[in-house]
Amino acid sequence: MSEKISENEYLGGRVRIRQPVKGYRAGVDPVLLAASVPARSGQTVLELGVGVGTAALCLNARVPDLNLTGVEIQPDYAALARENGALNKADLTVIEADLEALPDQVKSARFDHVMANPPYFDRAAGHAATDLGRETAMGEATPLKAWLEVAARRVTPKGYVSFIHRAERTQDLLRYLPKTLGSVQIQPLQPRTSRDAHLVILRARHSGKAPLRLHAPILMHEGRAHTSDAESYTAEIKAVLRDSAPLGMPD
């Protein structure tokens, strides 16, 4: 990668991530996704659209001895994810591939957990970014339905699928959810008390039979408005972002 690279710390320095200075840069969303996955030591995890590896490596920092696999379509980001795996001494295999054309080594495997932070915005609706890396990461080219279908095929029976997405796409997440996935939980994430939820985490279980659960929103920031440059995360979110605490969703 010819672009300038920065090295950033996540989870209070427990995770170090090399990523482009320009283009798509990992924020809090992949950290929140990782915190929501109910993984246990020794399990297998597949991340679709692994990017530079932030979510997978944050999950690995919280839950030791995971076997991690990431699929990434962008060669430069896949290369950085491999670097970051080594940098963080994680068992992370990164496969450069389109999730709709997975190689046999992924298609022949099933995983205890499949997670994804898919592109949020529909390119057909006119959302685009000038930087190619950011546009690929944020602009939906592969339909959300395909992300969900691939996740459902790759998760083991009774395994979990976890997605983070924009709140307005909740109806799409539920509409396209394959019938093999049940016991659905929706966790809204609310920026402030004065604002609607802007993100949701969807968790579903292969062969799950429990009714859908819509949890009370988790509040991200203290106060009704952003009034200063000082950090305003709530204690729960600060524990997730700084101390590698799990996000408060039931297993």
Side-chain angles (χ1 to χ4, degrees), residues 98-162:
D98 186 326
L99 66 88
E100 292 190 286
L102 293 174
D104 289 342
Q105 68 185 105
V106 180
K107 287 167 57 175
S108 63
R110 302 287 286 273
F111 300 83
D112 297 305
H113 299 272
V114 180
M115 63 178 181
N117 180 186
Y120 285 160
F121 301 112
D122 186 353
R123 288 176 178 172
H127 299 285
T130 55
D131 176 85
L132 179 60
R134 181 174 175 80
E135 165 59 13
T136 303
M138 299 299 290
E140 181 181 294
T142 301
L144 181 58
K145 182 179 180 181
W147 287 77
L148 290 163
E149 288 174 346
V150 171
R153 289 196 295 268
R154 300 277 59 83
V155 72
T156 60
K158 298 300 182 181
Y160 291 93
V161 168
S162 301

Side-chain angles (χ1 to χ4, degrees), residues 14 34 41-42 57 75 94 124 146 154 161 192 196 203 212 222 239 248:
R14 293 173 178 83
S41 294
L57 295 171
V94 180
R154 300 277 59 83
V161 168
R192 296 183 184 276
D196 293 337
R203 179 193 292 170
L212 183 146
E222 302 282 3

Side-chain angles (χ1 to χ4, degrees), residues 45-50 56 68-72 92-97 106:
V45 180
L46 172 66
E47 183 176 5
L48 303 175
V50 72
L68 303 163
T69 300
V71 174
E72 175 54 45
L92 173 62
T93 299
V94 180
I95 297 166
E96 185 186 322
V106 180

